[in-house]
DNA sequence: TACCAGGAGAGCG
DNA sequence: CGCTCTCATGGT
């Protein structure tokens, strides 16, 4: 357990009517090898914005501001919090990163990627938000995905409390909500041809045809097959949701960047067939193949520069 | 301007 | 199976 209580301070004591409670607006966690900027900005989550030295975002129904310095990660919220599990789970603060890195294959590409992306982590996002976000991601640049999701949340999400002086914020809209938004209205969020995919997938989940909670309990191949039934969900998007949302460590999304990495670094001669490639990604990278994938992705996207701050 | 973006689905041979 | 085309939008 790398998380330890350091400080809790009530920013607005008058608002806390229970003096004995451990309610707090802020909390610090000790961390090691946690590159917050790389993690929040590496194309796995799309709702984090840099503000000064920190990042603000929405996790579930919580507005939160994160800041990391000197192995201390500080979180500030809009309302007092007693149970911080929603955040420690999202940030995966209990993960033993060294053990994960040690499970990677010891080959030149992985050594380079790990060396260039020190402290890069995988988040554990809400499965629905993650799945929906990646339905909206197809053939879009990360900056645009952020814009689409920001508009979607502003138009159809529920307002969440924010500290005084901060702009309004909204939760990610539920499947039930999006199931009842017509396609034209979704297209107003600039999601284009992805609108019917998002709507129909939301309907399937809201109607119980697909049970995301059940998917989480399935073995990986069955979970993947279940997600592939949804409209707008192919192998790449399914694996993104399985890895970033459901926590399947073996899911290995292959997008254009990862494909570039695999071809350049592992198959420089001839291009492998898709089945050959899937066999390779499923066997070569070990127990935490998905984690290795994220290192390759970030390594390629940043051109091998460490401490990158992509916009 | 041309090309590209964390793709999927459908049609074709 | 593998190839090609379309879908919508905006960044670089």
């Amino acid at each position: 357990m790398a998380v330890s209580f350091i400080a809790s301070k009530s920013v607005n004591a008058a608002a806390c009517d229970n003096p004995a409670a451990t309610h707090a607006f802020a909390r610090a966690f000790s961390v090691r090898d946690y590159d917050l900027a790389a993690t929040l900005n590496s194309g796995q989550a799309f709702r984090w914005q840099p503000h000064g030295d920190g990042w603000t975002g929405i996790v579930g129904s919580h507005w939160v501001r994160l800041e990391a310095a000197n192995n201390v990660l500080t979180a500030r919220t809009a309302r007092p919090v007693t149970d911080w599990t929603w955040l420690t789970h999202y940030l995966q603060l209990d993960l033993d990163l060294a053990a994960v890195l040690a499970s990677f294959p010891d080959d030149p590409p992985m050594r380079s990627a790990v060396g260039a992306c020190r402290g890069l982590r995988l988040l554990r996002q809400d499965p629905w938000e993650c799945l929906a976000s990646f339905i909206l991601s197809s053939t879009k640049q990360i900056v645009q995905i952020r814009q689409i999701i920001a508009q979607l949340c502003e138009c159809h999400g529920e307002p969440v409390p924010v500290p005084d002086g901060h702009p309004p914020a909204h939760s990610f809209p539920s499947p039930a909500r999006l199931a009842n938004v017509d396609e034209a209205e979704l297209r107003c969020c600039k999601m284009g041809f992805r609108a019917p995919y998002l709507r129909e997938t939301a309907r399937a989940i809201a109607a119980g045809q697909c049970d995301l909670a059940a998917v989480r309990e399935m073995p990986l191949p069955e979970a993947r097959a279940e997600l592939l039934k949804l409209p707008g969900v192919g192998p790449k998007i399914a694996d993104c949701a399985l890895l970033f949302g459901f926590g399947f460590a073996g899911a290995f999304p292959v997008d254009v960047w990862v494909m570039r990495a695999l071809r350049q670094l592992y198959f420089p001669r001839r291009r492998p067939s898709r089945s050959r490639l899937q066999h390779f990604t499923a066997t070569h990278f070990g127990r935490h193949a998905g984690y290795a994938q994220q290192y390759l992705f970030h390594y390629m996207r940043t051109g091998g520069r460490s401490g990158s701050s992509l916009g």
Side-chain angles (χ1 to χ4, degrees), chain A residues 47 58 60 150 152-160 162 168-173:
Chain A
R47 300 201 65 195
I58 309 296
L152 180 69
C153 294
E154 186 175 347
C155 293
H156 304 293
E158 299 292 332
V160 302
V162 300
H170 304 266
S171 64
F172 193 91

Side-chain angles (χ1 to χ4, degrees), chain A residues 24-250:
Chain A
F25 289 83
R27 179 153 172 184
F29 305 89
S30 75
V31 294
R32 276 189 313 158
D33 273 340
Y34 206 116
D35 186 336
L36 197 58
T39 299
L40 300 181
N41 205 20
S42 61
Q44 49 179 321
F46 304 101
R47 300 201 65 195
W48 292 98
Q49 296 180 331
H51 277 294
D53 296 327
W55 297 78
T56 61
I58 309 296
V59 177
S61 58
H62 297 272
W63 180 98
V64 63
R65 182 181 192 281
L66 300 176
E67 192 173 339
N70 301 324
N71 289 337
V72 175
L73 192 157
T74 306
R76 300 177 192 285
T77 54
R79 292 286 183 271
V81 173
T82 52
D83 183 357
W84 292 84
T85 307
W86 57 274
L87 184 62
T88 59
H89 185 254
Y90 180 89
L91 294 172
Q92 292 285 287
L93 293 183
D94 293 343
L95 181 84
D96 183 353
L97 182 63
V100 171
L101 299 182
S103 74
F104 291 172
D106 186 21
D107 58 29
M110 283 312 304
R111 278 199 294 272
S112 300
V114 168
C117 309
R118 200 57 83 177
L120 177 62
R121 304 283 189 133
L122 286 185
L123 301 168
R124 182 70 58 85
Q125 303 174 58
D126 172 70
W128 160 244
E129 175 172 346
C130 189
L131 176 64
S133 294
F134 278 96
I135 287 175
L136 299 175
S137 76
S138 70
T139 48
K140 279 292 180 192
Q141 296 183 130
I142 290 173
V143 277
Q144 276 183 279
I145 301 168
R146 285 202 202 95
Q147 292 169 1
I148 294 169
I149 292 173
Q151 285 187 61
L152 180 69
C153 294
E154 186 175 347
C155 293
H156 304 293
E158 299 292 332
V160 302
V162 300
D164 290 341
H166 285 269
H170 304 266
S171 64
F172 193 91
S174 67
R177 165 65 180 168
L178 292 184
N180 289 308
V181 176
D182 59 57
E183 183 182 325
E185 206 172 339
L186 289 178
R187 283 179 185 260
C188 292
C189 303
K190 309 300 181 187
M191 64 182 71
F193 61 82
R194 304 156 195 84
Y197 293 154
L198 178 63
R199 183 168 189 273
E200 294 311 306
T201 288
R203 293 186 59 164
I205 292 168
Q209 295 170 19
C210 178
D211 182 354
L212 296 185
V215 169
R216 188 180 329 191
E217 305 303 322
M218 297 175 182
L220 176 56
E222 282 88 330
R224 182 183 284 126
E226 200 61 27
L227 293 187
L228 287 175
K229 294 177 184 172
L230 297 166
V233 180
K236 191 271 176 181
I237 289 174
D239 275 6
C240 283
L242 292 168
L243 180 62
F244 305 136
F246 292 87
F248 284 92

Side-chain angles (χ1 to χ4, degrees), chain A residues 35 37-38 41-42 50 55 146 298 301-302 305-311:
Chain A
D35 186 336
N41 205 20
S42 61
W55 297 78
R146 285 202 202 95
H298 200 250
R301 223 168 69 86
T302 56
R305 297 181 296 275
S306 62
S308 67
S309 55
L310 292 170

Side-chain angles (χ1 to χ4, degrees), chain A residues 272-286:
Chain A
S273 67
R274 209 160 56 76
S275 63
R276 175 80 181 86
L277 202 61
Q278 177 158 17
H279 179 263
F280 180 75
T281 59
T283 56
H284 181 260
F285 293 98

Side-chain angles (χ1 to χ4, degrees), chain A residues 103-114 252 254 257-272 276-277 280-281 283-286 289 292-293 295-297 299-300:
Chain A
S103 74
F104 291 172
D106 186 21
D107 58 29
M110 283 312 304
R111 278 199 294 272
S112 300
V114 168
F252 196 103
V254 178
W257 291 98
V258 175
M259 180 64 81
R260 223 168 270 166
L262 293 173
R263 287 223 263 252
Q264 288 180 17
L265 304 174
Y266 292 99
F267 298 91
R269 290 295 168 194
R270 65 203 181 287
R271 69 170 48 185
R276 175 80 181 86
L277 202 61
F280 180 75
T281 59
T283 56
H284 181 260
F285 293 98
Q293 172 274 159
Y295 273 77
L296 290 175
F297 174 79
Y299 178 57
M300 291 301 283

